[in-house]
C-alpha cells in the first residue's frame, strides 16, 4: 500500500418550514457569526491547532450553532472540527461585490461552485451552499447556472447568497 486516504462523512437532514429550520427533525435557532480565517501577523498561514480552536471558540465560548465561512475556501481542519462539534456551516464561492464582465470570469464562478460542492459535500456540518458572489448585484443567468451546478452535485442542501444592494 502506497497511499491511503480516510474520509469521514456523516448524515443529517435539514428542512425549512415557514420560519423554522429543522435539523434531524428538531427546531434549531440559527445563531452564528461570519468567519474570516486571517490572523494578525500570520495571515492565512494558521496551523491546524488554530483552525480547530476557532471552531471550538465559536461553539463553546460564543454559543454559536452556525458559522458563515466568508467568501473563500476554508481550511479543512476548520470544517472537520465543525463536523466534530456539530457547528453548522454556510460556505460560499470566492468573491466580493464584483461580477466580471468577461465570460471567462463568469465561467470561473461556475467552476468555483462545482469545486466547492465537490470539496465539501461529505461534511455534514455544511448546511447551505453560497452560490452568489458575496454582496454582488444581480446576474440571473450566472446565478441560475451556479444554482444548477450545486443542486446537480448535491440536491440535499439549499443554495443561498448574500446581498447588500437594496431591491436586488
Amino acid at each position: 500500500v502506497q497511499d491511503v486516504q480516510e474520509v469521514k462523512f456523516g448524515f443529517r437532514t435539514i428542512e425549512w418550514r415557514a420560519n423554522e429550520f429543522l435539523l434531524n427533525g428538531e427546531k434549531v435557532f440559527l445563531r452564528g457569526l461570519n468567519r474570516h480565517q486571517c490572523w494578525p501577523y500570520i495571515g492565512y498561514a494558521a496551523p491546524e491547532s488554530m483552525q480547530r480552536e476557532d471552531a471550538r471558540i465559536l461553539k463553546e465560548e460564543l454559543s454559536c450553532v452556525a458559522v458563515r465561512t466568508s467568501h473563500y475556501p476554508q481550511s479543512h481542519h476548520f470544517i472537520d472540527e465543525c463536523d466534530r462539534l456539530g457547528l453548522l456551516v454556510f460556505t460560499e464561492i470566492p468573491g466580493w461585490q464584483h461580477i466580471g464582465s468577461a465570460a471567462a470570469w463568469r465561467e470561473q464562478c461556475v467552476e468555483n461552485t462545482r469545486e466547492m460542492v465537490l470539496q465539501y459535500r461529505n461534511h455534514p456540518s455544511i448546511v447551505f451552499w453560497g452560490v452568489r458572489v458575496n454582496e454582488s448585484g444581480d446576474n440571473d443567468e450566472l446565478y441560475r447556472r451556479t444554482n444548477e451546478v450545486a443542486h446537480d452535485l448535491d440536491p440535499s442542501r439549499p443554495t443561498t447568497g448574500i446581498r447588500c444592494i437594496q431591491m436586488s
Side-chain angles (χ1 to χ4, degrees), residues 11-17 20-26 28 30 88-89 124-129 154-159:
F11 297 95
R12 53 92 194 98
T13 61
I14 57 173
E15 181 182 355
W16 285 103
R17 283 192 203 157
E20 294 180 332
F21 177 79
L22 286 85
L23 176 67
N24 297 328
E26 301 288 325
V28 174
L30 294 176
L88 305 176
V89 177
S125 61
I126 306 289
V127 293
F128 302 108
W129 297 123
D154 179 9
S156 74
R157 292 177 176 101
T159 56

Side-chain angles (χ1 to χ4, degrees), residues 31-35 51-69 78 82 85 87-88:
R31 177 182 48 256
L33 296 168
N34 292 337
R35 176 188 191 252
Q51 300 288 347
R52 292 184 184 280
E53 178 68 1
D54 251 14
R56 189 202 63 77
I57 289 168
L58 286 164
K59 179 76 174 185
E60 296 175 5
E61 293 184 24
L62 300 176
S63 300
C64 291
V65 298
V67 60
R68 174 176 164 240
T69 58
F78 178 78
C82 290
L85 295 171
L87 188 62
L88 305 176

Side-chain angles (χ1 to χ4, degrees), residues 17 19 61-62 70 77 79 86 100 110 115 124 126 146-147 150 154 158:
R17 283 192 203 157
N19 292 323
E61 293 184 24
L62 300 176
S70 298
H77 301 303
I79 301 298
V110 174
E115 290 174 359
I126 306 289
T146 58
N147 268 282
D154 179 9

